Amino acid sequence: MSASATASPIRPVHEDILNAAAHCFMERGYSATSIDDVARSLGATKGRIYHHYRSKADLFFDVFRHGMQMNFDVVTPIAESPRSTLEKLRDMTKTHCVAMIRTQHFQRCVWEGVELLQRGATTPEQREVLIELQAMRDNYAEIFRTVLEAAKREGIAEFESSSIALQLMFMCLNSPLFWYREREGQDASTIEHIASQCTVFALRGLGMKEELIADV
Amino acid sequence: MSASATASPIRPVHEDILNAAAHCFMERGYSATSIDDVARSLGATKGRIYHHYRSKADLFFDVFRHGMQMNFDVVTPIAESPRSTLEKLRDMTKTHCVAMIRTQHFQRCVWEGVELLQRGATTPEQREVLIELQAMRDNYAEIFRTVLEAAKREGIAEFESSSIALQLMFMCLNSPLFWYREREGQDASTIEHIASQCTVFALRGLGMKEELIADV
DNA sequence: TTGACAACATACCCGGTAGTATGTACCTCT
DNA sequence: AGAGGTACATACTACCGGGTATGTTGTCAA
């Protein structure tokens, strides 16, 4: 069973908490966010949160898991479709980028979570969870690596180290996480337009020819 | 007087503290790092740090300032040199990227500092400092924006929004901050090689032709 | 009707941490 | 030599925040 499939569906009762937590963690960061902050933004108290989650870390992990799951949900179908490498690469990158913008607060938590993963866990039971989350993240990156290396073999893309290329590609696609701000009058086409520029930048960076990128 | 010139030179006595603080802040993040952590990594106690800095925030701000100053020191000479736009752009981007790797712990603090800037300050006096740091950061980005737009006018580069292009370029050049790890046997040429790949990716992303990038 | 349980709120404990107040050794200048 | 200042260490306070223990209300099943 792949790590992507281990994530249980989110019970509706948890959805409000997850959303509030994601927003708080995004605004102040994990350690600067208190459980009281999350509760306050829910119009509730700590009791509600600790009734559903055993610890602050558990809550954060669930936000991470939820964020990653949303990424799998939109990207996996493309990766598993019987289309060409070129079409997959263009579609996956663009889709990922749009997802970053649409679910920004969750994805910011995923980003910070990756840093927490690198620092390691405190308790042994947390370490178990962290290993699972790490695997989830690695599996997601692996989907892209597979397509990237296929693209290189087919002469569509051209780069030296596929690991570095992968990192750089994700940096571009994740970029809106750090400067995009929701504002009034921004509809789906605005988001599409921003994602388009990021994706074009990334695909150019991967050494793809202009004519293969034109319609992204 | 530009914001870049307001930074006072670092007194030697502060250098050890700044280095230790940068390392701690990088490893655990700002709010998860205690003053005692920094002191312990210095083999000292809080007394030493509070003798030189009025608060934890002040210390962090000085790390930020120091990090930014190092960037100005290496990039400004290139930007002010009488060379062509193409040469400036290639040199500035590569130099910035190398600086990110070489002074990684300070630059990670700069990165986190930018997020703190967006969240705003608590006390009014901190806000004053934050405005100065914000200006410092903006001025630095402006150096690159100037060259970027010149490159666009000269037909060297091709992109839609210069703001987004600037962000994406920095994301690529800053990328090593998040995945580069110091290891044994990594000499200057290794760093050069990594920086080269990031810079090539960024310049490609900016729409530059292969023949203009070849020797980066 | 009532017992049991879910879904919270309230009240409390306690460890950690920013910041302060004070002590002390050393150094320098007169 | 002694007075004052620098550069710390030590000891202490106040508070915040994670976690827990317990109370309260609504719901549902028998």
Side-chain angles (χ1 to χ4, degrees):
Chain A
M1 186 166 65
S2 76
S4 67
T6 62
S8 55
I10 293 141
R11 283 176 285 174
V13 66
H14 288 183
E15 203 170 321
D16 290 342
I17 298 179
L18 284 177
N19 268 313
H23 274 104
C24 290
F25 287 143
M26 168 171 167
E27 280 177 11
R28 302 173 230 210
Y30 173 70
S31 38
T33 300
S34 73
I35 297 287
D36 289 299
D37 286 336
V38 180
R40 192 168 24 247
S41 84
L42 278 168
T45 66
K46 277 204 288 211
R48 180 167 174 196
I49 293 172
Y50 277 104
H51 180 71
H52 296 280
Y53 293 95
R54 293 192 326 192
S55 70
K56 180 182 169 183
D58 266 19
L59 173 58
F60 182 79
F61 293 157
D62 212 30
V63 174
F64 182 104
R65 216 189 326 265
H66 189 33
M68 282 304 304
Q69 190 58 48
M70 290 190 288
N71 295 343
F72 275 108
D73 289 346
V74 293
V75 165
T76 306
I78 303 173
E80 290 175 350
S81 70
R83 299 156 64 194
S84 71
T85 301
L86 174 61
E87 286 177 312
K88 280 187 190 177
L89 184 54
R90 286 192 300 204
D91 202 359
M92 283 166 62
T93 49
K94 177 79 174 290
T95 300
H96 174 85
C97 191
V98 170
M100 292 300 108
I101 298 175
R102 286 223 152 88
T103 63
Q104 187 183 22
H105 45 296
F106 277 92
Q107 304 305 332
R108 277 287 288 261
C109 294
V110 170
W111 178 276
E112 190 174 354
V114 171
E115 298 182 359
L116 288 182
L117 295 181
Q118 291 166 358
R119 289 165 196 163
T122 48
T123 74
E125 53 180 15
Q126 277 185 10
R127 182 160 289 280
E128 263 189 71
V129 181
L130 281 179
I131 290 173
E132 175 215 336
L133 298 180
Q134 184 82 60
M136 202 170 176
R137 216 265 172 175
D138 289 346
N139 285 346
Y140 187 70
E142 216 54 37
I143 300 176
F144 282 84
R145 181 195 291 271
T146 304
V147 181
L148 257 191
E149 286 175 348
K152 186 178 183 181
R153 277 195 308 275
E154 297 177 18
I156 297 171
E158 187 260 318
F159 46 82
E160 213 180 303
S161 154
S162 66
S163 295
I164 293 183
L166 197 64
Q167 295 280 5
L168 289 164
M169 182 201 72
F170 272 126
M171 284 298 282
C172 293
L173 302 177
N174 293 342
S175 169
L177 290 184
F178 302 102
W179 45 263
Y180 174 78
R181 298 280 169 255
E182 277 187 272
R183 288 190 308 194
E184 296 176 32
Q186 279 178 332
D187 53 359
S189 74
T190 310
I191 293 177
E192 279 283 320
H193 190 230
I194 293 173
S196 170
Q197 292 183 62
C198 296
T199 307
V200 165
F201 194 104
L203 295 181
R204 279 176 172 173
L206 290 170
M208 286 176 61
K209 302 292 173 197
E210 286 298 319
E211 59 267 25
L212 301 181
I213 301 175
D215 56 332
V216 171
Chain B
M1 187 165 65
S2 76
S4 68
T6 61
S8 54
I10 293 141
R11 282 177 286 173
V13 66
H14 288 184
E15 202 170 321
D16 289 343
I17 298 179
L18 284 176
N19 267 312
H23 273 104
C24 290
F25 287 142
M26 168 170 168
E27 279 176 12
R28 302 174 227 208
Y30 173 70
S31 40
T33 300
S34 74
I35 296 287
D36 288 301
D37 286 336
V38 180
R40 192 166 26 247
S41 84
L42 278 169
T45 67
K46 278 205 287 213
R48 179 169 176 193
I49 293 172
Y50 276 104
H51 181 70
H52 295 280
Y53 293 96
R54 293 193 331 198
S55 71
K56 180 183 169 182
D58 266 20
L59 172 58
F60 183 78
F61 292 158
D62 212 31
V63 173
F64 183 104
R65 216 190 325 265
H66 188 36
M68 282 304 303
Q69 190 58 49
M70 289 189 290
N71 295 343
F72 275 108
D73 289 346
V74 293
V75 166
T76 305
I78 304 173
E80 290 176 350
S81 69
R83 300 156 64 195
S84 72
T85 300
L86 174 61
E87 286 176 313
K88 281 186 189 177
L89 184 54
R90 287 193 298 203
D91 202 359
M92 284 166 62
T93 48
K94 178 80 172 290
T95 300
H96 173 86
C97 191
V98 170
M100 292 301 108
I101 300 176
R102 288 223 151 89
T103 62
Q104 188 182 22
H105 44 297
F106 276 91
Q107 303 305 332
R108 277 288 288 260
C109 294
V110 170
W111 178 276
E112 191 175 353
V114 171
E115 297 181 0
L116 289 183
L117 294 181
Q118 291 166 359
R119 289 165 197 164
T122 48
T123 74
E125 52 179 17
Q126 277 184 11
R127 182 161 289 280
E128 263 188 72
V129 181
L130 281 178
I131 290 173
E132 173 215 336
L133 298 181
Q134 184 83 59
M136 202 170 175
R137 216 264 175 177
D138 289 346
N139 285 346
Y140 187 71
E142 215 55 36
I143 299 176
F144 282 83
R145 182 194 289 270
T146 303
V147 180
L148 256 191
E149 287 176 347
K152 187 179 182 181
R153 278 195 307 275
E154 297 177 19
I156 297 171
E158 188 260 317
F159 47 82
E160 213 179 305
S161 156
S162 65
S163 295
I164 294 183
L166 198 64
Q167 296 279 7
L168 289 164
M169 182 201 73
F170 273 125
M171 285 298 282
C172 294
L173 302 178
N174 294 342
S175 168
L177 291 184
F178 302 103
W179 45 263
Y180 174 78
R181 297 280 169 255
E182 278 187 272
R183 288 190 308 194
E184 295 175 34
Q186 278 179 331
D187 53 0
S189 74
T190 309
I191 293 178
E192 279 284 318
H193 189 231
I194 292 173
S196 171
Q197 291 183 63
C198 296
T199 306
V200 165
F201 194 103
L203 296 180
R204 279 177 172 170
L206 290 171
M208 286 175 63
K209 302 293 174 198
E210 287 298 321
E211 59 269 24
L212 301 180
I213 301 176
D215 55 333
V216 171

